[in-house]
Amino acid sequence: MEALRQDDPRHLGRYTVLARFREGAAAVQYVARESADGEPVVITAARPALAAVPAFRRRFQSEARTAERLAGGWVTPPLDTRVTPDDDSGTTAEAPNALWTAAGYVPALTLAEAIGLGGPLPERAVRILGAGIAEILSRVHATGTALQGLAPETVLLAEDGPRLTAFGPLGAAASAEARGEQLSVRLGYLTPEQVEGVEAGAPSDLFVLGLLLAYAATGTTPFTDGPPEEAAGRIAHAEPELDSVPDALRELIAGCLAKDPALRPSAGSVAAELALEGAAGLARGGWLPERLVAAVAGQEARVRALDTPLDAESAGAEGNAGAEPAGEERDAGAETNADGPRDAPVDAAPLAPGGGPDGTPEDAVPAPGAPGGAPGAGKESGGTTRDLGTVPGAARTDHPTTQLAVPRELTASSAAAPATPAAALPAAPRPSGGPVPATAPSALSPAEAPAPAPGTPYQRTPGGPAPYAPAALPGVPAPAATPMVSLPLPPPAPAPSPTASRRALLITAAAAAGGLIVGGGAVGLLGSDDSAAADDDKPAPDRRRTLPGQAPEPRWTYTHPASESSPLTTAVWRDKLLVLTSESQASAIDLRTGKRVWQRADAAKGQAALAAGADLCFVASPTEFLWLSPEDGAVKHRLRYADQFTGLPNLRMGAITGQSGSVVWFTGSTTVTVKAPKPKKGKKPGKDKQVVQAYFFAYDIVRRQELWRTAVPAGRAPGTPVYRLVAERSADLLVRQDAVTLTPAEVGAAKGKGSIRSFDQKTGKLLWVKQYGTVAPAAGVQGDEDGRLYGAVGADLQAFESDTAKPLWRLSGGTGSVYGTPVVAGPLLHTTNRTQEVGAVQRGTGRLVWRRSTEVPLGGSAPAITLSSSEKTLIAADASQVTAFSAADGRRLWKFQDIGVQDPKGAAVTAPYRTLATGRTVVVQRDRAFYAFTVA
């Protein structure tokens, strides 16, 4: 942290800038406040020269939106963002092209700072660090994309757990340079597939995670030994050196560093292997060594003590005001190693037609600072820890979306152009092997730090207080050129015609190899609305086996098209079809493949698809019952309510209450006109009245026959009550009316208590209405076949005799406890609580068997819980994630999160997760997205 410089902004939006905090290649972070006594925030502001480049602005905007969608857990939610030049900055002092995001300040050290200060982390801290980052990656990978934002400088170590601060290549860039209307970006890490010229994907993030975990555990990365010019070969072919990694972590890290991407574990499996109870659970009680805790506390004290600068001149006069004491920051000039400098700048010479300035093919030209290059092939972090360079060679991707329009003159005329030598840091000796020193060199003051020279690329200098212009440092010549690849940018540009002249097109590759160049081409960052289903009727292939306890990869995913209305109801038909209904139609998804097999407009706005015998699918639409063919959705039978239910014209059907075999129960209502009584002589005639009459029905969907109907009190307007099945017993049904359909008179008469109704199974006769203790109308309630009813009472869960309302046992809850609807399974009752805990108790006695946290931040409703068909797996779903537990002992199995909406321009998805269990499959739904998982 250091004082503001002369050209630093004093205001960004509604925030007053207080000090420089950290720097990256593409942006500078500032500490700021909204008011004098407000909480500090961290503003990440793009460097002005880069912010003026349209390609940079689009990428910055995309990564800001990714951060918004990932907000929560180990990602600090953004508070404010300015990503377009038309935004209202809120102050005339802000530059017109200012580009920034603001997030709450979290006291933390970067991983690079922590290793430089305290050396390698203890094994438990490495587990928590890896689990937290893997949990974030699992959410990103669920959309089919890679993050590419991991680096020692983008991972933070806070008191309560890790944080991630970069959400794409810009945030993790080792260098960034504007080249006219284009942008050159170079990342600091590479993977074996990138060395081979293959596009980076989700497994690439796992390889980098493995490097970071090895770095955290040992203070060095596992491919450091050997000449720098052979670094790329070592990464592609050599085995990692993991002898110094703790035994318990070595196998997992080795798996992440597998050369074949297909052999690397998924992010979810890494998270489960490192911390089955979740990173937050393992971090309880503290996780950082005392030295790092003290450093974090000291940083927080300095940040909170910052005063508002008076003006630019006073800020410059203060010089080092606000700068950290010597010894707490590392000298950027000391960030060298025996093999060469860290992140030598990208050579800015134009490419010749062959790829490099000298006409050599692009894939043969090593990147400055990249393994396989000359000086700068590796980079040191804190003087002893090497981060790896970038890949020499372009990756492959879809050509139509990555063709950059490059005039021939820009390539042909530069065939003989000499490369501009780029300076680099001098090599410094490094002890071979062993941990990093426990102390770090002192930082240069701002006055000692040369300012970047105009036109030179910005370099990341972790641990140093300021960027250093390459020309101002002693250096060595750089290699001839840097391979260039395109950086995917939303929104997608129209694909060029396949017949377009190749003289105006440079076909490049996407993702993080060597220098990245962005221009006219674009690739949608987060996927599309198309289904990811198989394109034939074969079952989706089984996923490869990975580590025990892993979060399973979906067998298939399906995304409901954006051109159609969102699903209203979701149901499973005979373990074969997932049937969705919407405002416009019903559609069926094959549960084996995730492929949509039919659509039917007749069933629009229909209710849950139920099995009507072995070969028909029953759907209740607003006006009629439909029996559809499961093969193609064709209507085999239809019965209009007016024809089926005599004496009930214009029947309005309510929600289906429940089903048992071929019998379904539901409510419905109709409005009738009641004639006014004949007036007495001399009196005016009264007015006719419109009266709602409501009924509870039993209907056989195989025989297509009404079994009984019973008149019940009408509900709140428009009048149809909604009943939920609480228990089905041999002689009767127990139901409760949905609280939102109770009339004001019923609510007042209940005095805050809910009622349960008993109906005879054979005749539909109302047997009794009872209240149970102080169970509220909307409280979680469930009954069983043994005559017990379980309901939430205040902060507790209580059991009653169903027929007498006699209390049996009570399970106490803690502060903030509100139990949700439990689930009965054999001798156990599975519970869920607003404290984000699920558990199991013995039904007969209420004795607690187990209780576990879902590790979701407190707040909101209790998770909705579902049991797999075998009753071996308990699945909890809420607004943040889906978590699976062993139903017998509460062992946490896995959790799943998606990133939300897959359109970079769309609004973030806030819909909660829902789950449906069928056979050995659980289907997870979040708005339009569906995922199929295999469960026990």
Side-chain angles (χ1 to χ4, degrees), residues 113-408:
E113 291 168 345
I115 296 298
L117 180 63
L121 299 179
E123 179 187 328
R124 177 170 170 269
V126 175
R127 285 184 174 275
I128 294 167
L129 171 68
I133 301 305
E135 287 169 6
I136 299 173
L137 291 179
S138 69
R139 298 165 60 191
V140 178
H141 295 171
T143 67
T145 59
L147 180 68
Q148 296 183 264
L150 297 181
E153 297 81 22
T154 66
V155 174
L156 299 183
L157 279 59
E159 187 175 2
D160 60 344
R163 298 289 192 280
L164 185 62
T165 63
F167 307 97
L170 284 187
S175 70
E177 179 185 7
R179 299 180 176 181
E181 293 300 314
Q182 294 181 328
L183 173 70
S184 174
V185 174
R186 193 175 74 237
L187 298 182
Y189 279 105
L190 81 165
T191 64
E193 57 269 27
Q194 291 173 310
V195 172
E196 302 297 333
V198 178
E199 182 178 357
S204 302
D205 284 337
L206 270 299
F207 188 90
V208 178
L209 178 60
L211 292 176
L212 288 180
L213 292 180
Y215 171 41
T218 67
T220 185
T221 53
F223 296 103
T224 55
D225 288 347
E229 62 272 13
E230 299 175 4
R234 292 197 300 272
I235 289 172
H237 306 293
E239 291 301 314
E241 300 171 10
L242 301 176
D243 291 345
S244 300
V245 173
D247 294 344
L249 298 175
R250 191 175 300 135
E251 183 179 355
L252 175 65
I253 294 177
C256 292
L257 297 176
K259 305 303 180 185
D260 184 353
L263 297 180
R264 295 173 201 155
S266 67
S269 69
V270 171
E273 181 74 6
L274 289 172
L276 197 58
E277 67 272 51
L282 188 58
R284 286 178 179 168
W287 70 293
L288 293 177
E290 291 185 5
R291 182 165 191 164
L292 299 186
V293 172
V296 170
Q299 178 200 94
E300 181 178 15
R302 290 190 295 276
V303 167
R304 296 191 179 279
L306 287 172
D307 294 326
T308 303
L310 296 178
D311 51 41
E313 281 127 13
S314 65
E318 290 291 334
N320 254 344
E324 296 194 342
E328 294 189 8
E329 292 265 24
R330 288 166 296 159
D331 184 359
E335 297 212 6
T336 59
N337 60 72
D339 298 328
R342 174 192 173 105
D343 289 335
V346 176
D347 182 11
L351 286 176
D358 58 355
T360 56
E362 278 193 72
D363 58 6
V365 181
K379 56 183 180 180
E380 287 295 326
S381 181
T384 58
T385 302
R386 177 182 306 200
D387 301 338
L388 302 177
T390 51
V391 60
R396 294 188 295 272
T397 189
D398 296 332
H399 290 174
T401 56
T402 56
Q403 292 175 328
L404 307 185
V406 179
R408 177 180 290 273

Side-chain angles (χ1 to χ4, degrees), residues 784-819:
D784 64 20
E785 70 280 3
D786 296 330
R788 285 185 290 264
L789 183 138
Y790 314 94
V793 177
D796 303 336
L797 182 68
Q798 192 164 6
F800 303 86
E801 284 186 356
S802 298
D803 294 323
T804 65
K806 175 184 176 181
L808 297 176
W809 53 257
R810 191 175 186 121
L811 179 67
S812 297
T815 303
S817 167
V818 176
Y819 280 93

Side-chain angles (χ1 to χ4, degrees), residues 844-856:
T845 64
R847 187 180 72 84
L848 182 65
V849 177
W850 60 264
R851 180 183 292 161
R852 299 287 185 273
S853 171
T854 63
E855 304 299 341
V856 171

Side-chain angles (χ1 to χ4, degrees), residues 26-27 46-47 50-61 99 170 176 183 185 489 518:
R47 298 187 182 275
L50 300 177
V53 179
F56 181 92
R57 301 187 73 89
R58 292 194 295 272
R59 168 56 64 176
F60 190 94
Q61 182 178 23
L99 195 65
L170 284 187
L183 173 70
V185 174
L489 295 171
V518 244

